[in-house]
Short mmCIF file of all heavy atoms in Angstrom, two decimals:
data_model
loop_
_atom_site.label_atom_id
_atom_site.label_comp_id
_atom_site.label_asym_id
_atom_site.label_seq_id
_atom_site.Cartn_x
_atom_site.Cartn_y
_atom_site.Cartn_z
N PRO V 233 2.33 -18.35 1.38
CA PRO V 233 1.59 -19.41 0.62
C PRO V 233 0.07 -19.38 0.76
O PRO V 233 -0.52 -20.22 0.18
CB PRO V 233 2.14 -20.69 1.35
CG PRO V 233 2.24 -20.24 2.75
CD PRO V 233 2.60 -18.80 2.76
N LEU V 234 -0.49 -18.46 1.42
CA LEU V 234 -1.87 -18.43 1.65
C LEU V 234 -2.43 -16.98 1.74
O LEU V 234 -1.92 -16.16 2.61
CB LEU V 234 -2.32 -19.22 2.90
CG LEU V 234 -3.71 -19.74 3.06
CD1 LEU V 234 -4.23 -20.53 1.94
CD2 LEU V 234 -3.99 -20.26 4.49
N ARG V 235 -3.37 -16.70 0.95
CA ARG V 235 -4.03 -15.40 0.94
C ARG V 235 -5.49 -15.41 0.96
O ARG V 235 -6.09 -16.18 0.26
CB ARG V 235 -3.44 -14.62 -0.28
CG ARG V 235 -3.97 -13.16 -0.39
CD ARG V 235 -3.27 -12.25 -1.34
NE ARG V 235 -3.67 -10.89 -1.15
CZ ARG V 235 -3.32 -10.00 -1.89
NH1 ARG V 235 -2.50 -10.15 -2.93
NH2 ARG V 235 -3.76 -8.69 -1.61
N LEU V 236 -6.08 -14.52 1.75
CA LEU V 236 -7.53 -14.27 1.77
C LEU V 236 -7.88 -13.40 0.55
O LEU V 236 -7.15 -12.40 0.38
CB LEU V 236 -7.96 -13.64 3.01
CG LEU V 236 -9.49 -13.36 3.22
CD1 LEU V 236 -10.38 -14.61 3.09
CD2 LEU V 236 -9.75 -12.48 4.48
N ILE V 237 -8.72 -13.85 -0.32
CA ILE V 237 -9.13 -13.03 -1.43
C ILE V 237 -10.65 -12.69 -1.37
O ILE V 237 -11.44 -13.54 -1.38
CB ILE V 237 -8.83 -13.71 -2.79
CG1 ILE V 237 -7.38 -14.00 -2.93
CG2 ILE V 237 -9.34 -12.91 -3.95
CD1 ILE V 237 -6.49 -12.81 -3.26
N ALA V 238 -10.93 -11.33 -1.19
CA ALA V 238 -12.30 -10.87 -1.14
C ALA V 238 -12.42 -9.76 -2.03
O ALA V 238 -12.27 -8.60 -1.66
CB ALA V 238 -12.82 -10.55 0.32
N SER V 239 -12.58 -9.99 -3.41
CA SER V 239 -12.71 -8.97 -4.43
C SER V 239 -13.85 -8.12 -4.29
O SER V 239 -14.92 -8.53 -3.73
CB SER V 239 -12.55 -9.72 -5.72
OG SER V 239 -12.73 -8.75 -6.75
N GLY V 240 -13.82 -6.85 -4.65
CA GLY V 240 -14.96 -5.96 -4.63
C GLY V 240 -14.81 -5.04 -3.46
O GLY V 240 -15.47 -4.04 -3.53
N PHE V 241 -14.09 -5.40 -2.48
CA PHE V 241 -13.84 -4.56 -1.24
C PHE V 241 -12.37 -4.07 -1.47
O PHE V 241 -11.63 -4.54 -2.42
CB PHE V 241 -13.74 -5.45 -0.04
CG PHE V 241 -15.06 -5.59 0.67
CD1 PHE V 241 -16.23 -5.76 -0.17
CD2 PHE V 241 -15.28 -5.54 1.97
CE1 PHE V 241 -17.62 -5.96 0.51
CE2 PHE V 241 -16.55 -5.61 2.66
CZ PHE V 241 -17.63 -5.91 1.86
N PRO V 242 -11.93 -3.06 -0.70
CA PRO V 242 -10.49 -2.57 -0.80
C PRO V 242 -9.63 -3.72 -0.71
O PRO V 242 -9.87 -4.66 0.10
CB PRO V 242 -10.37 -1.63 0.24
CG PRO V 242 -11.72 -1.21 0.69
CD PRO V 242 -12.68 -2.34 0.25
N ALA V 243 -8.53 -3.77 -1.44
CA ALA V 243 -7.64 -4.97 -1.47
C ALA V 243 -7.01 -5.25 -0.16
O ALA V 243 -6.56 -6.31 0.18
CB ALA V 243 -6.54 -4.79 -2.52
N SER V 244 -7.06 -4.24 0.75
CA SER V 244 -6.51 -4.46 2.07
C SER V 244 -7.19 -5.49 2.88
O SER V 244 -6.69 -5.96 3.98
CB SER V 244 -6.45 -3.10 2.88
OG SER V 244 -7.70 -2.61 3.03
N VAL V 245 -8.42 -5.79 2.52
CA VAL V 245 -9.14 -6.87 3.26
C VAL V 245 -8.64 -8.29 2.79
O VAL V 245 -8.90 -9.28 3.44
CB VAL V 245 -10.78 -6.84 3.08
CG1 VAL V 245 -11.29 -5.46 3.46
CG2 VAL V 245 -11.08 -7.27 1.68
N SER V 246 -7.93 -8.28 1.68
CA SER V 246 -7.44 -9.52 1.09
C SER V 246 -6.08 -9.84 1.75
O SER V 246 -5.01 -9.71 1.04
CB SER V 246 -7.44 -9.56 -0.34
OG SER V 246 -8.75 -9.40 -0.88
N GLY V 247 -6.09 -10.28 2.96
CA GLY V 247 -4.80 -10.40 3.74
C GLY V 247 -3.82 -11.40 3.19
O GLY V 247 -4.22 -12.51 2.70
N LYS V 248 -2.52 -11.08 3.38
CA LYS V 248 -1.45 -11.91 2.78
C LYS V 248 -0.78 -12.69 3.87
O LYS V 248 -0.82 -12.28 5.00
CB LYS V 248 -0.40 -10.95 1.99
CG LYS V 248 -1.03 -10.07 0.98
CD LYS V 248 0.25 -9.31 0.51
CE LYS V 248 -0.37 -8.07 -0.35
NZ LYS V 248 0.73 -7.31 -0.89
N TRP V 249 -0.09 -13.77 3.44
CA TRP V 249 0.60 -14.61 4.37
C TRP V 249 -0.12 -15.09 5.61
O TRP V 249 0.31 -15.02 6.79
CB TRP V 249 1.93 -13.91 4.83
CG TRP V 249 2.63 -13.19 3.69
CD1 TRP V 249 3.37 -13.75 2.68
CD2 TRP V 249 2.71 -11.73 3.54
NE1 TRP V 249 3.86 -12.84 1.90
CE2 TRP V 249 3.51 -11.61 2.34
CE3 TRP V 249 2.26 -10.67 4.11
CZ2 TRP V 249 3.82 -10.29 1.81
CZ3 TRP V 249 2.49 -9.43 3.59
CH2 TRP V 249 3.33 -9.20 2.50
N ILE V 250 -1.47 -15.48 5.37
CA ILE V 250 -2.40 -15.70 6.40
C ILE V 250 -2.02 -16.92 7.20
O ILE V 250 -1.85 -18.04 6.66
CB ILE V 250 -3.83 -15.90 5.82
CG1 ILE V 250 -4.23 -14.67 5.08
CG2 ILE V 250 -4.82 -16.22 6.86
CD1 ILE V 250 -4.22 -13.43 5.99
N HIS V 251 -1.93 -16.74 8.53
CA HIS V 251 -1.78 -17.99 9.45
C HIS V 251 -3.01 -18.19 10.37
O HIS V 251 -3.08 -19.17 10.93
CB HIS V 251 -0.47 -18.02 10.20
CG HIS V 251 -0.35 -16.76 11.10
ND1 HIS V 251 -1.10 -16.56 12.13
CD2 HIS V 251 0.50 -15.75 10.98
CE1 HIS V 251 -0.66 -15.37 12.82
NE2 HIS V 251 0.33 -14.94 12.07
N SER V 252 -3.81 -17.12 10.58
CA SER V 252 -4.93 -17.26 11.53
C SER V 252 -6.18 -16.39 10.94
O SER V 252 -5.95 -15.45 10.36
CB SER V 252 -4.60 -16.73 12.88
OG SER V 252 -3.51 -17.28 13.37
N LEU V 253 -7.29 -16.90 11.27
CA LEU V 253 -8.46 -16.07 11.05
C LEU V 253 -9.27 -16.08 12.29
O LEU V 253 -9.36 -17.06 13.07
CB LEU V 253 -9.42 -16.75 9.92
CG LEU V 253 -8.78 -16.76 8.53
CD1 LEU V 253 -9.81 -17.52 7.64
CD2 LEU V 253 -8.65 -15.30 7.93
N ALA V 254 -9.85 -14.90 12.70
CA ALA V 254 -10.72 -14.89 13.78
C ALA V 254 -12.15 -14.61 13.40
O ALA V 254 -12.38 -13.78 12.64
CB ALA V 254 -10.25 -13.74 14.71
N VAL V 255 -13.08 -15.50 13.91
CA VAL V 255 -14.55 -15.28 13.59
C VAL V 255 -14.97 -14.58 14.74
O VAL V 255 -15.13 -14.94 15.89
CB VAL V 255 -15.26 -16.65 13.45
CG1 VAL V 255 -16.74 -16.32 13.06
CG2 VAL V 255 -14.54 -17.53 12.41
N ARG V 256 -15.40 -13.27 14.52
CA ARG V 256 -15.61 -12.31 15.55
C ARG V 256 -17.11 -12.12 15.86
O ARG V 256 -17.90 -12.20 14.89
CB ARG V 256 -15.04 -10.90 15.22
CG ARG V 256 -13.55 -10.92 14.83
CD ARG V 256 -12.77 -11.40 16.01
NE ARG V 256 -12.99 -10.75 17.22
CZ ARG V 256 -12.38 -9.57 17.79
NH1 ARG V 256 -11.44 -9.05 17.00
NH2 ARG V 256 -12.73 -9.11 18.84
N ASP V 257 -17.48 -11.76 17.03
CA ASP V 257 -18.92 -11.48 17.37
C ASP V 257 -19.22 -9.91 17.22
O ASP V 257 -20.17 -9.46 17.85
CB ASP V 257 -19.38 -12.00 18.72
CG ASP V 257 -18.52 -11.36 19.85
OD1 ASP V 257 -17.69 -10.52 19.60
OD2 ASP V 257 -18.73 -11.76 21.04
N ARG V 258 -18.24 -9.22 16.74
CA ARG V 258 -18.26 -7.74 16.55
C ARG V 258 -17.42 -7.38 15.37
O ARG V 258 -16.70 -8.28 14.84
CB ARG V 258 -17.71 -7.16 17.80
CG ARG V 258 -16.25 -7.36 17.98
CD ARG V 258 -15.71 -7.18 19.42
NE ARG V 258 -16.18 -8.33 20.23
CZ ARG V 258 -15.81 -8.42 21.43
NH1 ARG V 258 -15.08 -7.51 22.07
NH2 ARG V 258 -16.23 -9.42 22.19
N VAL V 259 -17.50 -6.14 14.93
CA VAL V 259 -16.62 -5.74 13.88
C VAL V 259 -15.14 -5.92 14.32
O VAL V 259 -14.86 -5.56 15.34
CB VAL V 259 -16.87 -4.27 13.48
CG1 VAL V 259 -15.88 -3.73 12.32
CG2 VAL V 259 -18.34 -4.08 12.92
N HIS V 260 -14.40 -6.62 13.49
CA HIS V 260 -12.98 -6.83 13.85
C HIS V 260 -12.34 -5.57 14.19
O HIS V 260 -12.52 -4.50 13.64
CB HIS V 260 -12.27 -7.48 12.61
CG HIS V 260 -10.91 -7.88 12.85
ND1 HIS V 260 -10.54 -8.70 13.94
CD2 HIS V 260 -9.72 -7.74 12.24
CE1 HIS V 260 -9.27 -8.92 13.97
NE2 HIS V 260 -8.72 -8.27 12.94
N ASP V 261 -11.46 -5.70 15.23
CA ASP V 261 -10.63 -4.55 15.69
C ASP V 261 -9.26 -4.71 15.59
O ASP V 261 -8.46 -4.15 16.36
CB ASP V 261 -11.09 -4.22 17.14
CG ASP V 261 -11.00 -5.46 18.05
OD1 ASP V 261 -10.54 -6.47 17.53
OD2 ASP V 261 -11.47 -5.36 19.22
N GLY V 262 -8.74 -5.28 14.54
CA GLY V 262 -7.32 -5.50 14.41
C GLY V 262 -6.62 -4.16 13.82
O GLY V 262 -7.32 -3.21 13.57
N GLU V 263 -5.36 -4.25 13.63
CA GLU V 263 -4.60 -3.05 13.07
C GLU V 263 -5.26 -2.59 11.71
O GLU V 263 -5.48 -3.35 10.88
CB GLU V 263 -3.14 -3.39 12.85
CG GLU V 263 -2.36 -3.60 14.12
CD GLU V 263 -2.08 -2.36 14.89
OE1 GLU V 263 -2.15 -1.29 14.24
OE2 GLU V 263 -1.72 -2.47 16.12
N LYS V 264 -5.36 -1.28 11.65
CA LYS V 264 -5.87 -0.59 10.43
C LYS V 264 -7.33 -0.87 10.15
O LYS V 264 -7.84 -0.80 8.96
CB LYS V 264 -4.99 -0.89 9.26
CG LYS V 264 -3.63 -0.36 9.39
CD LYS V 264 -2.84 0.06 8.28
CE LYS V 264 -1.52 0.74 8.57
NZ LYS V 264 -0.59 0.90 7.45
N MET V 265 -8.13 -1.38 11.17
CA MET V 265 -9.59 -1.48 11.06
C MET V 265 -10.05 -0.03 11.52
O MET V 265 -11.15 0.36 11.19
CB MET V 265 -10.14 -2.61 11.86
CG MET V 265 -10.06 -3.95 11.28
SD MET V 265 -10.82 -4.13 9.65
CE MET V 265 -12.60 -3.80 10.00
N ALA V 266 -9.33 0.57 12.48
CA ALA V 266 -9.79 1.80 13.01
C ALA V 266 -9.65 2.95 12.08
O ALA V 266 -8.70 2.98 11.40
CB ALA V 266 -9.13 2.14 14.28
N PRO V 267 -10.62 3.97 12.00
CA PRO V 267 -10.43 5.17 11.18
C PRO V 267 -9.22 5.89 11.81
O PRO V 267 -8.84 5.70 12.96
CB PRO V 267 -11.68 5.98 11.43
CG PRO V 267 -12.61 5.10 12.15
CD PRO V 267 -11.86 3.86 12.80
N PRO V 268 -8.51 6.63 10.94
CA PRO V 268 -8.90 6.95 9.50
C PRO V 268 -8.58 5.91 8.58
O PRO V 268 -8.96 6.09 7.40
CB PRO V 268 -8.13 8.28 9.27
CG PRO V 268 -6.80 8.12 10.09
CD PRO V 268 -7.24 7.39 11.35
N SER V 269 -7.86 4.82 8.83
CA SER V 269 -7.50 3.84 7.83
C SER V 269 -8.71 3.21 7.26
O SER V 269 -9.64 2.80 7.86
CB SER V 269 -6.70 2.73 8.59
OG SER V 269 -5.47 3.20 9.09
N TYR V 270 -8.64 3.14 5.89
CA TYR V 270 -9.69 2.48 5.06
C TYR V 270 -11.15 2.87 5.44
O TYR V 270 -12.07 1.99 5.40
CB TYR V 270 -9.52 0.92 5.13
CG TYR V 270 -8.02 0.60 4.72
CD1 TYR V 270 -7.10 0.27 5.52
CD2 TYR V 270 -7.73 0.70 3.34
CE1 TYR V 270 -5.79 -0.05 5.22
CE2 TYR V 270 -6.37 0.42 2.95
CZ TYR V 270 -5.56 0.07 3.86
OH TYR V 270 -4.22 -0.17 3.44
N SER V 271 -11.34 4.12 5.84
CA SER V 271 -12.61 4.70 6.13
C SER V 271 -12.85 6.03 5.44
O SER V 271 -11.80 6.65 5.15
CB SER V 271 -12.73 4.93 7.72
OG SER V 271 -12.50 3.76 8.39
N VAL V 272 -14.11 6.32 5.25
CA VAL V 272 -14.48 7.57 4.66
C VAL V 272 -15.54 8.26 5.56
O VAL V 272 -16.20 7.58 6.39
CB VAL V 272 -15.05 7.47 3.30
CG1 VAL V 272 -13.84 7.03 2.33
CG2 VAL V 272 -16.13 6.40 3.22
#
Side-chain angles (χ1 to χ4, degrees):
Chain V
L234 194 63
R235 181 168 189 182
L236 177 63
I237 298 285
S239 177
F241 274 39
S244 58
V245 306
S246 295
K248 306 179 189 180
W249 314 289
I250 297 302
H251 59 67
S252 311
L253 293 176
V255 183
R256 307 298 311 269
D257 64 358
R258 67 203 73 179
V259 174
H260 182 54
D261 49 8
E263 290 286 341
K264 298 208 173 167
M265 280 304 293
S269 298
Y270 304 103
S271 303
V272 291

